[in-house]
Amino acid sequence: MGRPNDEVAELFQEFADLLSITGEAAYKVRAYEKAARAIGGYHEDVSALDLKGLRQIPNVGDAIAKKILDYQETGTIRQLEAVRAKIPAGVRALTAIPTLGPKKALVLYEELGISSVDELAEAIPAGRLEGLKGFGAKSEENILHGIELMRRAGDRVLIDVAMGVAEEIIAVLSPLAGRCEYAGSLRRSRETIGDVDILATADDPGPLMAALVALPLVAEVIARGEKKTSIRTVKGLQVDLRVVPPESYGAALQYFTGAKAHNVRTREIAVRAGLKLSEYGLFDVESGDLVVSRTEEEVYERLGLPWIPPTLREDGGEVDAAIKGELPRLVQLGDLRGDLHSHTDLTDGIASLEDMVAAAAAHGWEYFAITDHAPNLFMQRMTDEKMLAQREAAHALGERYPDLTLLHGTELNIDADGEVDWPAEFLSGFDICVASVHSLFTQDRATMTRRLVRAVENPGVHVLGHPTARLIGRRASVDADWDEVFAACARHRTVLEIDAFPDRLDLPADLIRRALRHGAKFSIDSDAHATGHFANLRYGVGTAQRGWLTPDDVVNTWPLDRLRAYLAGS
DNA sequence: GCCGTTTTCGGCCCGACTGTTTTCAGTCG
């Protein structure tokens, strides 16, 4: 488990789930959910705040603040323990089954004593649900199907997989639609995607729905209505297609982009202004007249807000920033002038130096760093001689590309104690040195923190590569006191990498926002091992945007002389 | 339980689809 804020947020989310099962009023459940999100995203450590400090957290009032004090003293919350005693954890787990929510979970528990997914999976074929109110044959079938899906863990997919599906579908539907775009978490550039939301406009949705269900990638039609059709692809990814009239496009795009919590905020603003916001538009409550709906910009403007970039729409302070006119000018893909981390076939890349440089030049970069692995990552079989020979080759090659400055660098290995491959003298021969953790991922927090800080303090290290070393869905982040690491980065002018590989996206967005508070700088790098990998930079930029970064925060948007001056001070 | 340029009380986002409830509750996003 991570920092105390995450633990407390998880406790309140659990409390909210359990309250919804016990039938507690919906507004109270929502209050705990809102508080959980606010606590999880709060910049100060809630385990160190007093009552007054806790009350400063949005959506945390007296009652919740006192529960946090309870947590500080006892490590748990009395009221949560009380409801845990009434509702077994397995009942909460039932609500993770699609089509099964809190109400039905409670019926199953109270009427049949079912308190786990496994028990439910056995009870249905045994006929134990027959005659139970609200559970017909179709419900049983849906539940069994849902359990099967859960067990296949077809859970969430990486963003590049979802993007591939979305672009394939949009290519087919676009000719039949006025407009057709992806919305939802994909448009917000979340690092994993639960389902793909496609929005299209048409006066007659029929042909679009028919075209979707006829696609070869469709394994199953989950729902098919006049305005919405849901399918599951052969790989288990759900796709929802919503079709709205052309004049509703802006309101619908705003609505289906979410996040849900962001929409709640915008709708509350609408309500206070005597307006009602839905996917069909912004309406005057009294007259029922449509006010605006054509574009997102119009909708936000009528609510008194500037247009808010989708990557910020997480109810993470963006609405308040918009009201105050303090939205950041987010970094864009087009702002990047170069790439500071890439590999060739001299180590584990699959393209030659020549091909990588040619691709970088074709990309229009002003500068490009080759950073093959250093000797201590033994499997890569690097030697001093090979590295120096590559430097020669790179310099010679550079002369063929007058508009591209080639930087010769390396990706150092941070060892157990935070030391790197070469002595200072050899390191000074490189234009740029990335340093990364590639082993011993499970060191305790104190050891890992010392290890990372030591690497960051090394004057020969310019960039801390994929800092958490996580692999999404496969390997957890290393455990470190990140505030200490980020403070060291700011102090020593060591850049934090945002590795754009879809299974890394490292630093993650929440840590980027924390590092930003320390005044650290960032680089959005491809970590390319092939020429095609430059395309991943879009996901790195999406992650940087989710971390609220501006071009000034990202060193590889800078002109080369400014970048060099910054790195020289590290 | 939280919150306040209409409020310290009375609100709290809105709509689509499914299944079975013959008029709507539950789930989902």
Side-chain angles (χ1 to χ4, degrees), chain A residues 197-517:
Chain A
D197 294 300
I198 308 277
L199 174 68
T201 64
D203 293 315
D204 174 15
L208 283 163
M209 302 306 191
L212 177 67
V213 301
L215 282 170
L217 58 72
V218 174
E220 172 189 11
V221 178
I222 299 166
R224 184 168 180 180
E226 199 180 327
K227 296 171 176 167
K228 173 183 167 184
T229 293
S230 298
I231 59 105
R232 196 178 324 276
T233 70
V234 287
K235 287 185 181 162
L237 183 62
Q238 181 171 331
V239 179
D240 296 333
L241 171 63
R242 285 290 301 249
V243 183
V244 299
E247 60 272 20
S248 303
Y249 177 73
L253 185 61
Q254 197 279 332
Y255 178 76
F256 292 117
T257 296
K260 188 174 170 167
H262 174 86
N263 287 356
V264 169
R265 291 295 310 275
T266 50
R267 286 185 179 205
E268 284 169 354
I269 290 172
V271 168
R272 281 201 290 278
L275 301 166
K276 184 189 71 160
L277 181 59
S278 78
E279 56 265 55
Y280 297 110
L282 191 59
F283 297 88
D284 186 287
V285 168
E286 213 157 287
S287 66
D289 292 342
L290 176 67
V291 182
V292 286
S293 65
R294 278 197 174 274
T295 69
E296 280 194 336
E297 286 79 358
E298 286 176 333
V299 171
Y300 280 108
E301 189 189 359
R302 189 58 187 75
L303 294 174
L305 300 171
W307 180 80
I308 299 176
T311 43
L312 296 187
R313 299 183 197 170
E314 298 287 350
D315 192 23
E318 75 282 4
V319 174
D320 291 334
I323 290 169
K324 291 185 201 151
E326 292 172 359
L327 283 177
R329 188 314 219 162
L330 295 179
V331 62
Q332 311 288 325
L333 191 57
D335 292 325
L336 299 185
R337 294 173 186 253
D339 189 348
L340 302 182
H341 185 174
S342 73
H343 298 270
T344 74
D345 58 7
L346 186 61
T347 57
D348 58 348
I350 59 168
S352 66
L353 176 67
E354 289 74 14
D355 288 349
M356 290 299 283
V357 173
H363 223 281
W365 297 136
E366 294 174 27
Y367 45 88
F368 177 61
I370 294 286
T371 55
D372 269 314
H373 289 290
N376 289 356
L377 205 60
F378 299 106
M379 61 199 174
Q380 305 297 346
R381 301 180 176 282
M382 179 56 76
T383 62
D384 294 13
E385 294 71 30
K386 280 161 114 179
M387 197 48 110
L388 293 173
Q390 185 188 52
R391 187 175 299 164
E392 290 290 309
H395 286 159
L397 192 56
E399 291 178 11
R400 276 198 245 157
Y401 298 97
D403 297 331
L404 174 69
T405 302
L406 264 187
L407 303 174
H408 188 245
T410 182
E411 182 179 9
L412 301 164
N413 183 57
I414 301 174
D415 75 10
D417 304 315
E419 298 299 323
V420 297
D421 297 69
W422 283 295
E425 190 190 342
F426 195 88
L427 290 184
S428 66
F430 290 103
D431 296 312
I432 186 159
C433 293
V434 179
S436 318
V437 167
H438 296 107
S439 59
L440 300 168
F441 304 109
T442 55
Q443 287 180 327
D444 65 71
R445 175 178 295 201
T447 309
M448 184 63 79
T449 304
R450 272 199 308 275
R451 178 184 181 188
L452 291 174
V453 168
R454 186 155 180 82
V456 164
E457 287 172 345
N458 188 326
V461 170
H462 303 114
V463 178
L464 183 60
H466 46 70
T468 79
R470 71 171 180 170
L471 293 174
I472 297 172
R474 289 188 288 144
R475 184 170 71 214
S477 160
V478 300
D479 190 15
D481 181 336
W482 291 111
D483 288 307
E484 207 175 305
V485 175
F486 298 154
C489 286
R491 212 163 46 237
H492 294 276
R493 295 186 159 204
T494 300
V495 174
L496 283 156
E497 180 176 72
I498 300 167
D499 188 307
F501 247 84
D503 65 349
R504 288 195 183 270
L505 296 176
D506 184 8
L507 274 184
D510 57 335
L511 290 180
I512 293 171
R513 282 191 82 176
R514 269 167 81 187
L516 193 53
R517 292 178 188 280

Side-chain angles (χ1 to χ4, degrees), chain A residues 548-562:
Chain A
W548 290 52
L549 297 190
T550 68
D552 192 56
D553 301 316
V554 179
V555 299
N556 56 322
T557 68
W558 298 353
L560 185 57
D561 52 359
R562 183 182 173 195

